[in-house]
Every structure is written in C-alpha cells, then in structure tokens.
Amino acid sequence: MMRRYAFATAVALAAAISVWTVAVQAAPAATSEAAAAWSAYDQGDYVAAAPSLRRLAEAGDGEAQAAMGWMYEKGLGVKADGEAAWSWRRRAAQSGEARAQYAYATNGFSLQMISRAESLKWLRKSAGQGYAPAQFELGKAYARGLGLKRDDAQAVALFSKAAGQGYPRAQVALGQMYESGRTVEPSKAIARDWYLRAGLQGDPEAQARLGDLASRAVSVRAYDRTYDTPDPLEAARWFALSGDRQATDLAMRRMTPDEAASVRAAVRDWRPRPEWTPGRVFNWEEALIVKEAQEVTQTEDPGALSNPTLATIAAAEADLDFARARKLARAGAEAGDPAAQSWLARMDLEGISGPRDLRASRDWMRRASTQGHAASQIELAVQLQQPGIYQPGVPDPEALAESYFWAQIADANPSSSQDQRFFAKRLVSDLSGRLTPDAAADARRRAAAWKAQPEGVRPAPPAA
C-alpha cells in the first residue's frame, strides 16, 4: 500500500541553493504565477500547473522544461506525447539544469533515444554540478566498465561524493567497495557504517546487507558495538525492515516467543532518519526513488485498506506473523478474492511460511488475473518473461506470448493505475520485439477479445 507522497520543496528564489547543496545558479525572480504553478505541481494538480509551467518553460526556465517533459511522458495534466516529452527533456538538459541533465541521460539511454556515450556525456555534466544521483550513476559506469574503461578508483571517488551528501544508493555502493576491498583497504566495519547510514534512511538493500552481516559470524566493530558472533535478533530486525519476507520468516521460525515479540516491537517502533531528500520528480528513475522513500517514511495502516481481507492479512504481516498471514491469504484466495489470490501467489513465490512453490504461485496469479486484477496481470506478465521464475531457464516463445497477452490486458484494464498502465505500455513495447509477427498478432487478437471472468467472492472463513 502506498500513500500519496507530499513533495516538500521550495519555490525557486533568486540565487537559491539547490536542495542538494550543490551548484549555485541564478534563478529568475519568482512571480506569483510561478509560485502558484509550482505549488499546484507539488500537490499533484497538474491540470492547474500546466499552463503556467508551459509559459515558464517557453521563457527558458530549465526546471519548468524538465517538468513539462515529465508531464508529457506520463500524461499528467496534458495529453501524453512522447515526442513532446523528449523535446522538452532535451531543452531542459541544454539549459544546464542538473536534474534535467540526469533525466535526459538516464531516460534517453533506457528508451534507446541516445547512445551510451551521449548518456555518459550528460551524466558528467550533471555530476559536475554535484547532483548526487548523477555522481552515483557515473560511478556505477566506472565500476562496471559500462561505456568507460573500468576504473574502481574513479568509482570510489564518485560514490564518496554522493554518499557524503547522504544519497543512500551511493552509500550502499561505497559499502560494497569496502566490503569487497576494491581499490580500498577491505573493511567490514567501514562497510557496515555505510550500510547503516543508508539503512537508517530506509534503503532496503542496505537493510538486507545489515541483516546478512548480523546473521554471519563476522567480527566487526562499528558504532561502539562488536559483532563477533551471529546476532539472529538483529538480523531479523533488519531483514524485516528491508521487506525480505523470506529471510524474516526463516529467522522468526527459530526464535522463542519472547524473542519474536522483541523483534516485532523494534520493527513497529522504527522510524527512518533521512539524510537525503528527493526534490521534484522529473523522470522515471526519480519517481522510483521517491516511491521507495514513501514506503519507509509513511507508517503503514493495514486497517486503511478498503478490502477487509487484505487488511487482516496486512495486519498479520505487519506484526511479522507470517503463518497467520498465509492462513488468511489462503482462506481469501479459496473464497475467490483476487487480491488475496495475488497475495498468496507472492507468498508461494517467495516461500513465506511454507515451501517455495512456483507452480502454485503461477496458478494463483493466473486466477487473480483472469478475474481482472490489474496488479496480478502486470506481475504475471513480468514473471513469465523473466528467466528462472515461472519458466525454468530462458522463457520459451509460448511464455513470451502469454506475457505479451497479459501486458496488453493490463494496459487496457480500466482499474489499472496510471503507473501500472505506464509500466504495462513499456512491457508491451519491449515484448513486441521479442515475438514473431504471427505470435504478436495472435496475442493481440486474443487480448482484444478477452473479458474478465469473476469467480464470485464468497465469505472467507476466519483463519484459525
């Protein structure tokens, strides 16, 4: 469950310092129209924001140009138009706006609109202004040799700059460099310090790594604490916070009731301590970052779910009672609730409170999808086209065709959210090039004729 994220960034003022405390740039004098437009944008009222932002963009405001690119890409307040989106993104990057340069580099390359060399050129421009996400991405390119000669020293330097600004992904990357000893002196203590900084912000990868360190007999001293032997309670806390239900479930099964209660209390009381705050969202990658922040900065309220079955399942999982959550999910799934079927499919996929069962997971996901459950349709499409998930080894043509079929249905599903539809369109575009023309045409024909087949939800018996 995701709550709406309240963007808390200030309106640009003359000679303002950017939210990342980098590159100082002169800004045009703020007008009441601009203030109102950005206020509407920050609150998600894109229809109200669009006319004024367009005027600002046409006058050369780089931030407004970046916003227009994002709005046209997503169809926010304007009719979606990929060509217009790309035009505004290019103009914004050329204006010198660091975030726009980052968006142009990352989106352009992922959509195959620009070459890797061109992407790296704009990443360098953005990173040169001190924009932490660009420094991180450029560091990754050096660390992996992506379009550049591999240079771990450059990677460490860029990761360090971004991590020092509090960017959690860079903190994790820097921790990995210290843990593996690439270019730097190996140090699990320093690695843990960086993981801890990112983990305290709510970064799930950092939290999972902290759980892994605590679960192994690794002697490190960090933050006035020595880890000479495995600490299963500490490991379970971090695994739970990371969202790794499988690792949490396995750790909880070996605990006494009192130990399990202490872990539940610690997780329930935990709150993130952000060091780095995303600004306005102008591209897909930033949107994902914001969603991650949203997941960890908002207290989940399972009772707020409109589906009462899901509310009880979510409440059980929030209390780390995975056995009860599975019983509730199975009861709801067998009663025909598509949301419960989807939940149970994910539990079977991950092996939560039971053995991992890929066939059962796929069957439950198909039942939910057949009833018209949009999230399940997208999940099924994703899993079918990935190797080693629902299909052993490389997916065969039949699995790819089914994935293409469900992606189209999710795109046309009126209950799909804007983000779900956007992702479904990207999946359709990707898969269309992986199928033969005849297979693609057949999948499109079947999708056009498809109709949801509700099972008819029956009252689920209470779980014992």
Side-chain angles (χ1 to χ4, degrees):
M1 179 183 69
M2 301 278 286
R3 293 184 179 177
R4 189 173 177 175
Y5 187 81
F7 294 100
T9 55
V11 177
L13 300 173
I17 299 177
S18 75
V19 290
W20 296 278
T21 65
V22 296
V24 179
Q25 297 179 338
T31 65
S32 57
E33 180 186 22
W38 285 120
S39 176
Y41 184 93
D42 292 342
Q43 295 174 43
D45 189 352
Y46 301 105
V47 172
S52 295
L53 287 181
R54 183 188 298 278
R55 284 190 285 273
L56 288 170
E58 289 173 345
D61 187 305
E63 190 175 22
Q65 290 168 345
M68 291 304 299
W70 175 238
M71 291 164 70
Y72 270 112
E73 181 177 327
K74 294 277 286 179
L76 303 172
V78 295
K79 184 178 180 180
D81 185 332
E83 188 174 338
W86 189 244
S87 175
W88 281 118
R89 286 200 182 284
R90 184 168 54 249
R91 289 178 64 178
Q94 291 169 344
S95 77
E97 216 286 330
R99 287 170 295 172
Q101 292 169 340
Y102 169 76
Y104 186 78
T106 54
N107 280 37
F109 181 71
S110 66
L111 296 174
Q112 299 181 335
M113 299 292 288
I114 60 176
S115 66
R116 187 182 292 278
E118 182 76 0
S119 173
L120 289 170
K121 181 186 81 172
W122 288 103
L123 277 179
R124 283 195 181 96
K125 289 178 180 290
S126 181
Q129 295 191 62
Y131 185 41
Q135 292 171 333
F136 166 66
E137 289 295 335
L138 190 57
K140 279 202 310 183
Y142 276 113
R144 300 177 183 177
L146 302 175
L148 297 166
K149 183 179 179 181
R150 179 170 162 174
D151 189 332
D152 287 346
Q154 281 278 18
V156 168
L158 286 161
F159 289 154
S160 297
K161 289 178 180 179
Q165 294 184 61
Y167 190 56
R169 292 183 173 185
Q171 291 172 339
V172 174
L174 191 56
Q176 290 176 282
M177 300 298 273
Y178 275 101
E179 187 172 8
S180 62
R182 287 177 58 179
T183 300
V184 294
E185 186 72 23
S187 172
K188 285 189 168 55
I190 295 177
R192 186 185 183 278
D193 285 353
W194 283 115
Y195 294 153
L196 185 59
R197 282 184 62 175
L200 289 173
Q201 294 192 71
D203 184 273
E205 184 178 357
Q207 292 168 336
R209 289 182 177 278
L210 287 165
D212 184 55
L213 283 176
S215 66
R216 294 184 281 124
V218 177
S219 180
V220 298
R221 180 165 183 80
Y223 281 76
D224 299 321
R225 182 168 182 184
T226 301
Y227 289 81
D228 291 316
T229 58
D231 187 335
L233 271 66
E234 179 80 354
R237 285 192 287 269
W238 284 119
F239 284 139
L241 291 170
S242 76
D244 189 336
R245 300 187 302 173
Q246 185 178 37
T248 308
D249 177 45
L250 290 173
M252 297 287 285
R253 291 186 205 179
R254 297 190 289 266
M255 291 183 185
T256 66
D258 287 345
E259 289 174 334
S262 72
V263 171
R264 291 189 179 103
V267 172
R268 192 182 304 119
D269 296 339
W270 185 85
R271 294 294 182 273
R273 307 174 196 173
E275 292 183 48
W276 186 84
T277 305
R280 291 189 176 108
V281 172
F282 296 139
N283 76 325
W284 185 251
E285 178 70 15
E286 287 175 330
L288 294 177
I289 295 171
V290 167
K291 283 186 177 182
E292 288 179 1
Q294 179 180 351
E295 289 173 348
V296 301
T297 56
Q298 302 296 324
T299 303
E300 292 287 353
D301 179 10
L305 289 169
S306 58
N307 184 317
T309 300
L310 289 193
T312 56
I313 299 171
E317 281 212 357
D319 202 36
L320 307 182
D321 190 345
F322 297 104
R324 177 169 172 76
R326 171 175 276 278
K327 289 180 181 179
L328 291 164
R330 176 167 291 281
E334 290 175 345
D337 187 326
Q341 291 169 346
S342 178
W343 200 302
L344 184 59
R346 287 192 292 271
M347 297 188 88
D348 281 332
L349 179 63
E350 298 174 23
I352 304 301
S353 193
R356 193 178 189 213
D357 191 333
L358 299 182
R359 177 174 292 183
S361 174
R362 181 188 59 198
D363 291 347
W364 283 119
M365 199 67 77
R366 278 182 175 147
R367 281 181 63 174
S369 298
T370 300
Q371 294 196 70
H373 192 251
S376 296
Q377 291 168 349
I378 292 176
E379 181 73 12
L380 184 57
V382 169
Q383 301 293 16
L384 283 168
Q385 57 90 40
Q386 289 183 337
I389 306 297
Y390 286 161
Q391 297 292 317
V394 177
D396 57 33
E398 186 176 338
L400 291 177
E402 186 181 0
S403 175
Y404 186 58
F405 167 78
W406 284 115
Q408 290 178 90
I409 290 173
D411 181 27
N413 192 331
S415 65
S416 290
S417 68
Q418 193 171 52
D419 283 343
Q420 288 171 334
R421 191 166 290 111
F422 180 78
F423 187 76
K425 287 182 185 297
R426 294 186 67 174
L427 200 54
V428 167
S429 176
D430 175 63
L431 288 166
S432 62
R434 300 169 64 184
L435 295 170
T436 66
D438 287 346
D442 178 67
R444 286 193 295 269
R445 177 187 57 76
R446 290 187 293 113
W450 183 87
K451 291 183 180 180
Q453 301 174 34
E455 295 183 14
V457 180
R458 303 174 299 280

